[in-house]
Amino acid sequence: MEVQESKQKKAAFVAVVGRPSAGKSTLVNSLCGAKVAIVSPVPQTTRNAIRGIVNRSEGQLVFVDTPGRHLSERKLNRKLTETAGRAAAEAGLILYVLDATRPPGIEEAAVADWLMPSAGRVVAAANKMDSPRADFAEVKAFLQNHLQPLEAGRCFPVSALKNEGTGELLACLFDLAEQGEPFYPEEYYTDQPPEFRIAEIIREQAINRLREELPHALYVEVADTEMREGNRLWVRAFILTERDSQKGIVVGKGGAMIKAIRLAAQRELNLVFDWKVELDLRVKTAHDWRRNDAALRRILGA
Ligand SMILES: Nc1nc2c(ncn2[C@@H]2O[C@H](COP(=O)(O)OP(=O)(O)OP(=O)(O)O)[C@@H](O)[C@H]2O)c(=O)[nH]1
Ligand SMILES: [Mg+2]
C-alpha cells in the first residue's frame, strides 16, 4: 500500500535586525506583501517591535521588525536598542539586514559582534542590490570576517524595494524553521491595533516631509475615533513635538505643512484600511518627552 507522506507545517518568529536605514521595514513589507511597517529615508524610523505575518503552504513566519541598532547612549536610543535585543532573544530565527550600498564600518561590526552568540539562528540579507553602488562581495567578506560561524549559503542578495531575491530568502527561512502550528489565524498579515497603525502612518507622512532633527522629536497620538455612516472612520490625532518652537514648523506657513501631512496620511490610510478615513489632525507640545521615562514607556511599550 502506498503511504502518502503528509508534510508537517513550519512556524517560527523571525526577528529582523540591523543598522538604522538598512531597509528592514521595507523588507518586512515586501516579504508580507502588505504595508505593515512605516518607511522613511531618515534613520531610526521604527520605534517598536512590529509583527508582519507570512502565510504559505510551507507554514507561517512571523517577522518582527525592530528599531535599527546603533551606538548611542541617549535615552530613546538605548530603549530602541533594548527593543531589538528582546525581539532577537525571543525569536527562533534572526534575519540580519545589511545595506550593501554602504561600506561596513564600526557600527556594522558592533551589530555582527552582538549577533555572534546567536550565529546559528542567523540568516543574512544584503539589501539594496538594485542600486549600482551595491557590493554583495563586500557584504560576504564582512560576514566572513565578523560573523564567521554563519554558513556561506545563509547570505542572500535582495532588493526589498523591487522585491527581488526574496523568494530564496523565504525558502531558506522556512527550511530552518521548526515544525509547528501557526501562531496567528492564516488570514492575518499583522497584529497591530488600528489606532497604532493610524498613528504610525501619520508619523511616516510627517517624517517624510520634515527633515533633520525634527522627525526624532515627534510622536503621534490618536485621541479619538468614531465610525460614521457610509463606512467612514473619523479620527482625531495629534502630532506632539518636544518644544513649543517646533509646533510652527509642523503647522507650516498658513497651515500648509500640517495640511500636506493630513492629506497624504489620509490617502495612505485609505489604501491600508477598508474604511474611508477622515482625519482631524492637530499639533501640540509634550515637553521633553524623550527624557521622560513615563512618556517613553507609553510610546515605546518598553
Ligand atoms: N535602493 C533601495 N533602497 C531601499 C531598499 N530598501 C529600503 N530602501 C530605502 O532605504 C531607506 C530606509 O528604509 P527603511 O525600510 O525605513 O529602513 P529601516 O532599516 O527600517 O530603518 P529604521 O527603522 O530607521 O531602522 C528608505 O529610503 C527606503 O526606501 C532597497 O532594496 N533598495
Ligand atoms: Mg524600520
Side-chain angles (χ1 to χ4, degrees):
M1 200 175 79
E2 209 178 308
V3 179
Q4 192 83 35
E5 205 182 310
S6 78
K7 224 173 149 202
Q8 281 284 321
K9 293 265 188 185
K10 300 286 194 81
F13 273 75
V14 185
V16 184
V17 304
R19 293 187 58 200
S21 277
K24 299 176 293 301
S25 300
T26 310
L27 185 56
V28 168
N29 291 342
S30 174
L31 291 167
C32 295
K35 189 182 174 88
V36 172
I38 65 165
V39 167
S40 94
V42 180
Q44 292 172 267
T45 298
T46 304
R47 288 180 178 163
N48 307 80
I50 289 172
R51 292 175 183 183
I53 303 157
V54 172
N55 295 295
R56 293 284 164 92
S57 56
E58 299 93 316
Q60 183 175 82
L61 294 177
V62 181
F63 289 93
V64 186
D65 188 16
T66 68
R69 279 184 74 96
H70 70 142
L71 305 168
S72 159
E73 279 307 308
R74 293 174 77 169
K75 195 177 261 191
L76 173 65
N77 296 332
R78 257 202 339 262
K79 298 238 177 221
L80 295 179
T81 295
E82 281 166 23
T83 300
R86 256 195 319 278
E90 288 166 6
L93 296 169
I94 298 173
L95 175 54
Y96 175 21
V97 184
L98 298 95
D99 182 342
T101 68
R102 281 206 300 196
I106 52 163
E107 293 237 347
E108 199 66 77
V111 179
D113 268 0
W114 164 66
L115 286 173
M116 187 65 98
S118 322
R121 308 186 276 135
V122 173
V123 172
N127 190 30
K128 311 196 184 181
M129 289 305 299
D130 57 283
S131 162
R133 286 181 294 120
D135 188 343
F136 184 51
E138 189 172 47
V139 172
K140 279 206 296 195
F142 169 82
L143 291 170
Q144 183 72 35
N145 287 331
H146 289 86
L147 199 56
Q148 225 268 322
L150 184 77
E151 287 172 32
R154 292 197 189 164
C155 176
F156 295 86
V158 302
S159 165
L161 202 62
K162 302 244 158 95
N163 199 9
E164 286 165 1
T166 47
E168 291 83 349
L169 176 63
L170 267 183
C172 175
L173 290 166
F174 270 118
D175 221 32
L176 296 174
E178 293 197 351
Q179 291 179 353
E181 292 301 311
F183 299 100
Y184 292 93
E186 284 171 16
E187 64 275 16
Y188 276 39
Y189 66 90
T190 187
D191 66 347
Q192 304 166 73
E195 276 85 357
F196 177 78
R197 297 183 78 191
I198 292 169
E200 284 287 272
I201 286 172
I202 297 169
R203 192 164 65 85
E204 177 181 53
Q205 297 309 320
I207 293 176
N208 279 300
R209 280 165 185 76
L210 303 161
R211 303 282 150 176
E212 309 305 326
E213 176 55 4
L214 204 50
H216 304 305
L218 303 179
Y219 74 92
V220 175
E221 219 166 53
V222 170
D224 204 3
T225 58
E226 192 181 289
M227 271 318 290
R228 293 184 173 170
E229 232 175 89
N231 202 32
R232 292 177 304 138
L233 178 73
W234 173 85
V235 178
R236 169 163 297 151
F238 291 93
I239 296 180
L240 291 107
T241 63
E242 262 183 328
R243 287 190 289 278
D244 288 331
S245 57
Q246 295 164 336
K247 280 202 300 198
I249 303 171
V250 179
V251 171
K253 221 174 176 183
M257 179 58 83
I258 185 94
K259 184 176 176 192
I261 296 169
R262 180 173 61 78
L263 293 177
Q266 232 170 226
R267 242 190 334 267
E268 197 65 32
L269 289 165
N270 285 334
L271 293 175
V272 170
F273 293 111
D274 292 333
W275 316 300
K276 181 155 176 20
V277 178
E278 288 170 9
L279 196 54
D280 173 341
L281 188 60
R282 301 169 187 209
V283 186
K284 66 180 181 187
T285 310
H287 290 282
D288 282 332
W289 65 268
R290 276 191 288 181
R291 291 204 209 112
N292 179 322
D293 281 320
L296 285 174
R297 252 197 314 279
R298 193 158 43 79
I299 296 159
L300 305 177

